[in-house]
Amino acid sequence: MPTRRALLGAMVCGALVAAGCATAPKQSTSSPQQHSLAPATAANVDAAIAAAMTASAIPGALVGIWSPEGDYVKAFGVADTATGAPMGADFYSRIGSVTKTFTATAVLQLVDGGKVRLDDPIARYVDSVPNGDAITVRQLADMRSGLADYTKTDEFSAAITANPQQHFTPEELLGWAFARPADFPPGQRVEYSNTNYIVLGLLVEKVGGQPFGDYLTEHILGPLELAHTSFPTGNQFPEPHPQGYTAPDDGGPAVNATDWTTSFAWAAGAMVSTLEDLRTWVSALATGELLSPELQKQRLLTTPEPGGPADFGYGIGIFEVAGWVGHNGSVPGYQTVAVYLPQRKITLVVMVNTDIDGPGGADPGGALATAITSTLTPDHVYRL
């Protein structure tokens, strides 16, 4: 489930040490909005963000809200705890598992084009997947394959710890997963596994006939004019961006993970974007702008996860929680929540430059989204 350390669980397992990370949440605005939230509403959101950042020791945050009632785009706190440099609303950030929404869209575009069928076995498109004759494309996309998650293996953890800047290939990542037995038979239940989306990335490359990043650029980023969204193959990171802080294994002070590779996440979580680009993307994602109506309808069919929140369900590279549709993401040093509330046509994007758990084990990006929605949409509170 993408709710606790959405991409990594196995990698960053140290205890939270807030020293050096907690700062008074300074704020700056982007260029003036054409239609801003009412001052009283904006003040309440300001206060909720400040309280959540203090409680969770979040160094810096970017928040975008776009709604019929008005817009709200602000940067809070610091981009660098060493220098005190402020966050900027136009900064780039790593978006972690929000990448899965792009990967799933690419797969569904191939389905729309008649090149892939959702209920075909994955063995028809990608070789060497254990039980590939029984696992369907759909089961990979909606987290029901049963394949073990490579990010939870000792081998993955050891490799990242040894050199967090090294380059990993998709085949290396899958090797760690495929060496483990399946967690359950295909289709039996929902269980979040990053392995599924590495396999789907390979499907897109093979059937789409071009490297994964090139496919995204031509078929998704280009058509939607997402000029500030990219798919790095290593630790590339456009400027300006904040420093990102993660927890060490030994429980010591926060570690700067800004230069770490994201090749370990590939089609499951390597992308970079901005508030404004995610504003466009989340709306297109939730409304099916790049897909046929029938496929969008299938995409939004969600299944609950055993033991998960009662109002949570996972669909095809997308989730719904308390009415909010979208995804969250986490890589070392960065977390993102990017969601849309169809009932009120509100888009919410939150980016923070830490993935260190706050009080009670709450992830910082989720804690901030919970605080904002508790104030803005109390009948639809995001809790993951």
Side-chain angles (χ1 to χ4, degrees), residues 23-93:
T23 61
K26 308 170 188 176
Q27 60 178 276
S28 63
T29 59
S30 66
S31 56
Q33 302 298 297
Q34 290 184 339
H35 175 47
S36 298
L37 282 179
T41 302
N44 289 337
V45 174
D46 287 346
I49 291 170
M53 289 182 67
T54 299
S56 293
I58 298 171
L62 307 177
V63 177
I65 300 166
W66 299 270
S67 75
E69 290 77 30
D71 301 339
Y72 175 103
V73 179
K74 289 187 178 182
F76 295 82
V78 298
D80 188 327
T81 59
T83 67
M87 291 285 277
D90 62 344
F91 278 19
Y92 292 86
S93 189

Side-chain angles (χ1 to χ4, degrees), residues 77-121:
V78 298
D80 188 327
T81 59
T83 67
M87 291 285 277
D90 62 344
F91 278 19
Y92 292 86
S93 189
R94 291 177 175 150
I95 64 173
S97 286
V98 177
T99 301
K100 291 182 174 70
T101 62
F102 291 86
T103 304
T105 299
V107 172
L108 292 173
Q109 286 180 326
L110 293 171
V111 174
D112 260 340
K115 298 179 178 180
V116 172
R117 292 190 297 183
L118 279 173
D119 295 313
D120 277 350

Side-chain angles (χ1 to χ4, degrees), residues 89-357:
D90 62 344
F91 278 19
Y92 292 86
S93 189
R94 291 177 175 150
I95 64 173
S97 286
V98 177
T99 301
K100 291 182 174 70
T101 62
F102 291 86
T103 304
T105 299
V107 172
L108 292 173
Q109 286 180 326
L110 293 171
V111 174
D112 260 340
K115 298 179 178 180
V116 172
R117 292 190 297 183
L118 279 173
D119 295 313
D120 277 350
I122 189 58
R124 184 165 297 177
Y125 308 102
V126 180
D127 297 330
S128 303
V129 178
N131 211 17
D133 290 330
I135 297 170
T136 66
V137 175
R138 187 191 302 271
Q139 288 166 342
L140 289 163
D142 65 10
M143 301 296 181
R144 294 182 300 123
S145 74
L147 291 174
D149 190 340
Y150 70 90
T151 67
K152 296 179 181 177
T153 66
D154 292 339
E155 293 82 3
F156 170 79
S157 181
I160 289 288
T161 300
N163 182 6
Q165 294 182 326
Q166 69 178 298
H167 178 77
F168 296 97
T169 67
E171 290 75 17
E172 285 179 280
L173 306 178
L174 292 179
W176 291 320
F178 293 170
R180 294 181 57 184
D183 291 336
F184 55 88
Q188 186 179 82
R189 65 176 186 267
V190 173
E191 184 174 280
Y192 195 82
S193 173
N194 294 291
T195 302
N196 295 330
Y197 275 74
I198 304 300
V199 175
L200 290 176
L202 293 176
L203 179 154
V204 171
E205 287 199 329
K206 183 172 181 179
V207 179
Q210 57 191 138
F212 183 74
D214 292 348
Y215 183 96
L216 294 184
T217 298
E218 181 176 337
H219 296 276
I220 298 177
L221 307 184
L224 292 177
E225 299 182 352
L226 303 179
H228 301 292
T229 302
S230 60
F231 179 74
T233 56
N235 65 352
Q236 302 97 324
F237 205 163
E239 294 281 359
H241 62 255
Q243 303 298 295
Y245 302 95
T246 195
D249 288 336
D250 61 7
V255 172
N256 189 324
T258 311
D259 294 330
W260 291 15
T261 186
T262 55
S263 64
F264 71 83
W266 202 58
M271 293 181 75
V272 170
S273 192
T274 62
L275 280 180
E276 284 292 339
D277 267 19
L278 287 186
R279 170 194 184 181
T280 299
W281 173 240
V282 172
S283 176
L285 173 70
T287 61
E289 185 172 336
L290 296 179
L291 301 175
S292 65
E294 173 55 31
L295 266 187
Q296 179 66 5
K297 183 178 179 180
Q298 291 190 53
R299 161 170 234 168
L300 295 175
L301 293 174
T302 60
T303 304
E305 185 176 34
D311 58 359
F312 173 87
Y314 203 88
I316 297 180
I318 200 168
F319 63 57
E320 180 176 351
V321 57
W324 292 94
V325 176
H327 216 288
N328 59 2
S330 181
V331 287
Y334 303 89
Q335 289 193 341
T336 298
V337 175
V339 289
Y340 180 79
L341 184 62
Q343 293 90 334
R344 292 183 52 182
K345 298 182 179 178
I346 300 175
T347 298
L348 170 65
V349 179
V350 172
M351 295 170 156
V352 300
N353 61 339
T354 180
D355 69 321
I356 301 174
D357 286 346

